Structure formats: structure tokens, C-alpha cells
Amino acid sequence: MITALFPGSFDPVTKGHESIVKKALPMFDKIIVAIGENTMKKNSMFSLEQRLQWLKDTFGNYDKVLIDSYSCLTTDYCKAKNVKYILRGLRDTADFQYEKNIADVNTMLDSEIETVFLLADKQETNISSSVVREMLLFGKDVKEFIPKGVIIPHK
């Protein structure tokens, strides 16, 4: 069974995240979408429980998708779950450089884990969780940037 991990903070989940998983479904037998504790992002806007629920709401109809969370190095999580592929989405060249650096370190930590990059759809290249959080802070409606079924109340 070929399993991929799609890690992220998903603070909140966006249409871009959803699109990457949908693109990857034909490539893998199972995709674990998991919230990883990012030591660089200590202050999430939304609770872990809320983010897990949004992931369940977004991917609950896909038999091949599992939702999880972890608080260790991504490569350690992969080893524990027998995952050989890390799935990442790329919006632009800045994403590529950032993600390539992480992929290189992950390979140094575990040479059996390969990172697979998928390109974001053109209409989603400007969507990021950071942009959605900023819009929310200023009371804007974000429904066009998040998956159907995910409800984020205006602040």
C-alpha cells in the first residue's frame, strides 16, 4: 500500500489544500492529512480540535483520506505510520525554494522518504491560510477561499 502524508497547520484549511489532495488521490492508496505541530507557528488562530473538524468536513467523503495530528518531526511520524511519501503543494517559486529546503532536510533525516510536489491550480495560487487569517481579522467573508462545508464565523 502506497501512503502519502500531507502535513500542514491547516489554520484554516483552504481550497488550495483541498485541490492538492484531490489531485493526489489517483496517485496513492491512502493519503493522511495531518496537522503537525509547527514550532515556528506557536499561536494558531484556531484550535487543533476545530482544524481537525474542518479537515474531516472537507475530506470525510473520501475513503482514501485519513485525518490525524502529530507533535513530532514529520519524518518520525512518517516512520511510525510507514509512510514513504510527503505530499506538498506549490503555488510559486518562493514556495518551491521553501519546500525544497524542508524536503532536503527530511531526506537527510530519512533517505527512504520522498517528497512529491504538486502544482496549485492557477485560480488558487494566491490562496494561503495566512491570507485567509488576515482577511478574517478584518471581518471579511472568506467563503470563496475555503472548502464548501467549512464554516468560519466572522470575527
Side-chain angles (χ1 to χ4, degrees):
M1 179 177 289
I2 301 173
T3 303
L5 170 67
F6 185 41
S9 60
F10 304 105
D11 189 33
V13 62
T14 68
K15 284 185 177 179
H17 297 130
E18 181 182 35
S19 174
I20 294 299
V21 171
K22 284 181 176 179
K23 283 183 177 189
L25 283 170
M27 299 175 198
F28 300 100
D29 298 311
K30 180 169 61 169
I31 299 173
I32 303 171
V33 179
I35 298 171
E37 181 182 332
N38 185 335
T39 58
M40 303 303 286
K41 295 180 182 177
K42 280 290 187 191
N43 297 320
S44 298
M45 179 177 260
F46 301 100
S47 71
L48 174 62
E49 294 76 19
Q50 178 64 76
R51 292 179 284 149
L52 285 168
Q53 186 59 56
W54 285 331
L55 291 176
K56 290 173 186 171
D57 293 343
T58 302
F59 300 111
N61 292 329
Y62 298 94
D63 294 337
K64 293 169 59 170
V65 178
L66 300 174
I67 306 303
D68 201 5
S69 65
Y70 63 97
S71 57
C72 59
L73 289 175
T74 299
T75 52
D76 291 342
Y77 180 82
C78 287
K79 189 172 208 125
K81 297 291 185 177
N82 197 31
V83 171
K84 300 295 181 196
Y85 298 93
I86 296 173
L87 178 62
R88 300 301 297 157
L90 301 176
R91 293 169 295 179
D92 55 26
T93 56
D95 273 0
F96 173 76
Q97 191 58 55
Y98 175 79
E99 294 293 347
K100 182 186 179 309
N101 290 342
I102 293 172
D104 289 344
V105 170
N106 286 340
T107 299
M108 290 169 57
L109 293 170
D110 189 330
S111 62
E112 294 183 13
I113 297 173
E114 186 66 45
T115 301
V116 176
F117 298 112
L118 294 179
L119 299 178
D121 290 334
K122 182 176 149 183
Q123 68 272 18
E124 293 156 354
T125 57
N126 294 319
I127 300 173
S128 71
S129 293
S130 299
V131 167
V132 172
R133 286 192 308 271
E134 185 78 7
M135 291 174 64
L136 286 168
L137 286 172
F138 288 96
K140 299 298 181 188
D141 185 359
V142 297
K143 69 180 167 211
E144 74 178 86
F145 303 106
I146 58 176
K148 288 183 175 155
V150 172
I151 299 169
I152 302 175
H154 294 347
K155 299 247 176 194

